[in-house]
């Protein structure tokens, strides 16, 4: 098969969970004889460029660094994306597997891939689940998990609040007729963008309906996400759940020392992004009594202004506490060893992630995970059996949990560690996709 994977970002400019996921699938499929190509937009390019990454051909096409609002919202194809549409027409893949919806990579590009006769697959890695959540977290008003049903008033209020608008004013704007919102939102300025929010949510519902109709398979990473997309009109016969897996398993997690010392060693490993819950985690650590004996290590990459700002905020909040340290990002070859050095991995996410993958990697080396009761974590961690979960964004609950672990490591860590299950692998993920590809190709 000729398999095309399309992602919103890719190496070497970006290194994240989706990039690792796509490159691992490419490597596994190439190994067993399939022809794999990867495509991704890149802001700032003048013309397309091609190169190889880890032995796989990669095609990058230009999209604007400063897109118009219509381009960003997918109302018109982004400038430069015509290169992809022309290129995929020549490539004629058997399978076109999309992993992102971003500026310059959306329904127009999916239509072009579908027109070649390719089987069209969409995997939703993001909490937006396509166009379902404009806020991108599935956290209602940023405070509690949303039911996930896209509704004009509810979703407009939530996104306007996310952009800094008082809720009362957001309620007024959200309740205006969509026809009026479309007219008031026409000018390209911030006021018009706010007034046009009901129209945007209405368009998102139309886009989501087309997405469900155009794909041969819609893939999500959790049962929780499956329930939400069904609620929004997904076709049950085209919907698949393919949970995350780790790229490689350690040779034997039984060879890694698994004893808890008198001072518990906690760790956070991931990006410095507000949706990862690092601000709430820093607040929880700051609230710990000075007599509590523990060590906590934050580790992760800092790329871009937004992550730098979050990193600096976390560092300022934890300054002066010798129990807390901030360390550089971890090379992929060292992730297993770092995770094995922790007694507990903390994943305090405040959005409905499909993973995070690092939690599965922790299980692969026998390290228990504590985190928030949302998204993939709620399905990966068996609460009270091999870890513990608290409500997302609940700083007091997170502080109490850390204190409980510090006070009784044997009754918590040692018991959880004994129950940590074997980890799912990316080979399992790739096999499941081949079943989807094969089943759908047979139907076609």
């Amino acid at each position: 098969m000729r398999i095309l994977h399309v992602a919103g970002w890719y190496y070497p400019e970006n290194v994240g969970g989706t990039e690792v996921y796509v490159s691992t699938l490419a490597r596994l499929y190439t190994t067993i004889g399939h022809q794999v190509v990867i495509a991704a937009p890149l802001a700032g390019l003048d013309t397309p460029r091609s190169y190889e990454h880890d032995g796989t051909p990669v095609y990058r096409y230009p999209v604007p660094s400063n897109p118009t609002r219509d381009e960003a919202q997918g109302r018109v194809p982004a400038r430069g994306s015509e290169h992809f549409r022309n290129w995929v027409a020549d490539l004629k893949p058997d399978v076109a597997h999309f992993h992102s919806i971003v500026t310059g990579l959306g329904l127009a590009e999916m239509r072009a891939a579908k027109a070649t006769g390719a089987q069209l697959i969409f995997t939703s890695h993001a909490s937006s689940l396509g166009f379902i959540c404009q806020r991108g977290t599935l956290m209602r008003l940023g405070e509690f998990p949303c039911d996930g049903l896209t509704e004009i008033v509810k979703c407009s209020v939530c996104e306007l609040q996310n952009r800094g608008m008082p809720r009362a004013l957001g309620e007024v704007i959200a309740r205006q007729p969509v026809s009026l919102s479309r007219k008031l939102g026409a000018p390209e300025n911030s006021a018009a963008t706010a007034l046009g929010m009901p129209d945007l949510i209405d368009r998102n519902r139309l886009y989501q309906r087309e997405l469900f109709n155009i794909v041969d398979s819609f893939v999500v990473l959790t049962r929780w996400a499956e329930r939400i997309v069904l609620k929004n009109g997904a076709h049950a016969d085209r919907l698949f759940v393919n949970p995350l897996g780790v790229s490689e398993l350690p040779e034997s997690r039984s060879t890694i020392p698994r004893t808890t010392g008198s001072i518990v060693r906690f760790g956070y490993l991931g990006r410095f992004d507000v949706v990862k819950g690092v601000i709430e985690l820093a607040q929880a650590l700051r609230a710990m009594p000075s007599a509590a004996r523990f060590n906590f290590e934050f580790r992760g990459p800092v790329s871009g202004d937004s992550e730098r700002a979050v990193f600096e905020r976390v560092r300022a909040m934890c300054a002066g506490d010798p129990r807390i340290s901030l360390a550089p990002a971890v090379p992929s070859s060292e992730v297993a060893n770092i995770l094995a050095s922790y007694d507990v991995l903390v994943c305090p996410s405040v959005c409905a992630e499909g993973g995070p993958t690092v939690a599965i990697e922790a299980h692969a080396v026998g390290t228990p995970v504590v985190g928030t009761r949302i998204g993939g974590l709620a399905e990966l961690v068996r609460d009270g059996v091999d870890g513990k979960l608290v409500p997302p964004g609940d700083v007091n609950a997170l502080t109490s949990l850390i204190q409980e672990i510090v006070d009784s490591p044997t009754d918590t860590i040692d018991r959880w560690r004994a129950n940590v299950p074997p980890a799912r692998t990316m080979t399992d993920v790739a096999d499941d996709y081949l079943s989807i590809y094969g089943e759908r190709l047979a139907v076609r």
Side-chain angles (χ1 to χ4, degrees):
M1 277 191 295
R2 178 178 292 176
I3 303 172
L4 167 64
H5 286 285
V6 193
W9 305 269
Y10 206 64
Y11 299 94
E13 289 80 11
N14 297 93
V15 182
T18 302
E19 291 87 337
V20 173
Y21 187 96
V22 170
S23 66
T24 303
L25 288 177
R27 174 172 52 81
L28 291 171
Y29 291 146
T30 300
T31 300
I32 59 175
H34 295 292
Q35 182 182 352
V36 183
V37 183
I38 295 169
L42 181 59
L45 279 183
D46 293 324
T47 58
R49 67 183 177 95
S50 300
Y51 58 92
E52 283 196 359
H53 174 79
D54 197 21
T56 302
V58 180
Y59 175 79
R60 305 302 294 273
Y61 60 96
V63 292
S65 299
N66 296 298
T68 66
R69 187 179 60 195
D70 283 350
E71 288 174 323
Q73 294 181 356
R75 301 187 189 204
V76 300
R79 289 160 290 162
S81 61
E82 68 276 4
H83 291 287
F84 172 85
R85 296 191 292 277
N86 294 333
W87 173 82
V88 76
D90 292 333
L91 182 68
K92 293 183 173 59
D94 297 304
V95 174
H97 192 157
F98 286 67
H99 297 265
S100 312
I101 294 176
V102 297
T103 300
L105 176 55
L107 288 172
E109 289 65 46
M110 292 186 192
R111 293 185 204 111
K114 182 86 167 182
T116 69
Q119 180 191 167
L120 185 61
I121 313 292
F122 175 68
T123 295
S124 177
H125 297 260
S127 302
S128 52
L129 298 177
F131 301 94
I132 289 174
C133 179
Q134 178 64 31
R135 188 172 185 132
T137 64
L138 283 169
M139 287 288 287
R140 181 85 173 94
L141 299 170
E143 297 175 358
F144 50 88
C146 182
D147 64 6
L149 181 62
T150 305
E151 298 175 303
I152 292 176
V153 174
K154 178 184 74 176
C155 298
S156 294
V157 171
C158 187
E159 176 59 11
L160 288 170
Q161 184 250 19
N162 184 44
R163 298 184 184 206
M165 180 172 289
R167 182 172 177 180
L169 180 56
E171 291 275 1
V172 173
I173 292 175
R175 294 183 184 280
Q176 64 182 313
V178 170
S179 57
L180 177 60
S181 172
R182 186 168 298 125
K183 292 178 181 178
L184 295 176
E188 187 119 352
N189 57 60
S190 57
T193 298
L195 292 169
M197 190 57 63
D199 176 45
L200 174 60
I201 301 302
D202 186 54
R203 289 176 186 271
N204 282 350
R205 294 199 299 185
L206 294 174
Y207 296 157
Q208 189 71 30
R209 191 174 306 147
E210 181 179 355
L211 178 59
F212 287 148
N213 289 333
I214 195 175
V215 298
D216 293 287
S217 301
F218 193 107
V219 183
V220 293
L221 308 180
T222 66
R223 294 293 174 188
W224 189 76
E226 178 189 37
R227 291 191 293 272
I228 287 177
V229 295
L230 281 172
K231 186 182 298 185
N232 283 278
H235 302 286
D237 61 335
R238 304 183 197 176
L239 180 59
F240 298 86
V241 180
N242 195 355
L244 289 172
V246 293
S247 296
E248 295 179 4
L249 288 174
E251 291 185 8
S252 174
R253 74 184 196 181
S254 63
T255 63
I256 301 172
R258 300 277 78 185
T259 56
T260 306
S262 58
I263 300 179
V264 178
R265 181 171 169 78
F266 297 91
Y268 166 84
L269 189 61
R271 293 183 293 114
F272 284 89
D273 190 315
V274 290
V275 300
K276 294 291 186 179
V278 288
I279 299 300
E280 289 81 1
L281 177 55
Q283 291 171 335
L285 293 171
R286 191 171 61 177
M288 290 290 291
S290 58
R293 301 180 66 200
F294 67 91
N295 288 322
F296 198 104
E297 181 177 76
F298 286 91
R299 270 188 178 266
V302 181
S303 57
D305 294 340
S306 60
E307 288 189 8
R308 171 61 61 183
V310 174
F311 173 83
E312 293 297 342
R313 187 175 172 188
V314 169
R315 182 164 64 176
M317 293 171 70
C318 298
D321 191 330
R323 301 170 297 181
I324 306 171
S325 62
L326 281 78
V330 183
S332 57
S333 60
E334 292 298 316
V335 168
N337 290 332
I338 293 296
L339 290 172
S341 73
Y342 297 147
D343 294 312
V344 179
L345 177 72
V346 183
C347 297
S349 181
V350 292
C351 75
E353 296 185 274
T357 303
V358 69
I360 308 171
E361 292 173 324
H363 277 184
V365 298
T367 298
V369 176
V370 301
T372 46
R373 194 175 294 108
I374 188 172
L377 282 169
E379 298 176 20
L380 178 67
V381 177
R382 294 174 293 172
D383 196 12
V385 177
D386 52 37
K388 193 74 174 178
L389 299 171
V390 298
D394 192 331
V395 173
N396 292 335
L398 188 55
T399 301
S400 297
L401 175 56
I402 294 172
Q403 185 68 60
E404 176 188 351
I405 296 169
V406 169
D407 290 342
S408 304
T410 300
D411 293 337
T412 53
I413 300 170
D414 292 345
R415 177 167 54 84
W416 296 338
R417 186 182 291 130
N419 295 321
V420 170
R424 177 176 165 84
T425 69
M426 281 298 295
T427 299
D428 299 322
V429 174
D431 283 345
D432 285 351
Y433 275 129
L434 285 179
S435 296
I436 295 171
Y437 298 164
E439 176 182 325
R440 291 296 169 179
L441 284 173
V443 169
R444 292 167 67 85

